[in-house]
Amino acid sequence: MARDIASWLSGPPGSSSGYPGETLGLPEHGAGSLARLGRRLAALMVDWLVAYGLAALGMTLGLVAPSLLSTAVLVVWLVLGVIAVRLFEFTPGQFALGLRVMSVDGRLYVGLGRAALRGLIIALVIPALFVDADGRGWQDRATGTAVVRR
């Protein structure tokens, strides 16, 4: 019974690949290979701390009410992430950890709409925890992107 339930997690029969990213045409190691979960989480923490610092600065300057600090942190994180991914292909945390967001569907860059959708899905937290065989979350699958090493 347990084998039947878990069988859907790996995808359809014969879909297993030798390494994460092989089905996307990405290398196994080095630049352009899929980033591992630990580095992606560390980059998210750096981004969150930057957003918290900027929101706290806004609160100190009187731009944000203390009761709205947590909402301001989320908004700053989302705006910073969307603009940074669109302009530079990485957020500040991803830059610090040697990562970038790339398009895997043949487009040259991640557009503003796809960057915004990706950020909104990550902000919901739960969808980002579900990953495919390559280790990409729903946010990357929905937007045709992948977080890779620089």
Side-chain angles (χ1 to χ4, degrees):
M1 177 73 170
R3 186 170 55 189
D4 293 334
I5 292 172
S7 66
W8 66 272
L9 292 172
S10 60
S15 68
S16 64
S17 64
Y19 61 89
E22 182 179 22
T23 58
L24 301 170
L26 301 175
E28 184 174 4
H29 301 289
S33 65
L34 280 177
R36 303 291 185 241
L37 181 62
R39 288 179 92 173
R40 292 193 325 247
L41 285 176
L44 180 64
M45 292 306 297
V46 170
D47 290 336
W48 202 255
L49 288 172
V50 168
Y52 195 95
L54 291 173
L57 179 65
M59 186 180 71
T60 303
L61 297 175
L63 302 173
V64 176
S67 62
L68 297 176
L69 181 62
S70 59
T71 303
V73 171
L74 180 62
V75 169
V76 169
W77 174 82
L78 184 61
V79 170
L80 181 66
V82 168
I83 291 171
V85 167
R86 171 57 188 97
L87 292 178
F88 309 114
E89 294 185 335
F90 49 76
T91 64
Q94 290 170 342
F95 176 73
L97 289 158
L99 305 175
R100 73 181 181 101
V101 179
M102 71 173 273
S103 177
V104 294
D105 60 0
R107 297 181 188 178
L108 288 176
Y109 56 86
V110 179
L112 189 62
R114 292 195 309 160
L117 177 61
R118 187 176 185 282
L120 287 172
I121 293 172
I122 294 171
L124 293 174
V125 178
I126 299 299
L129 297 176
F130 292 100
V131 297
D132 62 7
D134 288 319
R136 295 185 319 145
W138 283 5
Q139 74 278 5
D140 288 326
R141 293 186 67 189
T143 59
T145 60
V147 179
V148 297
R149 296 170 65 189
R150 275 190 288 123

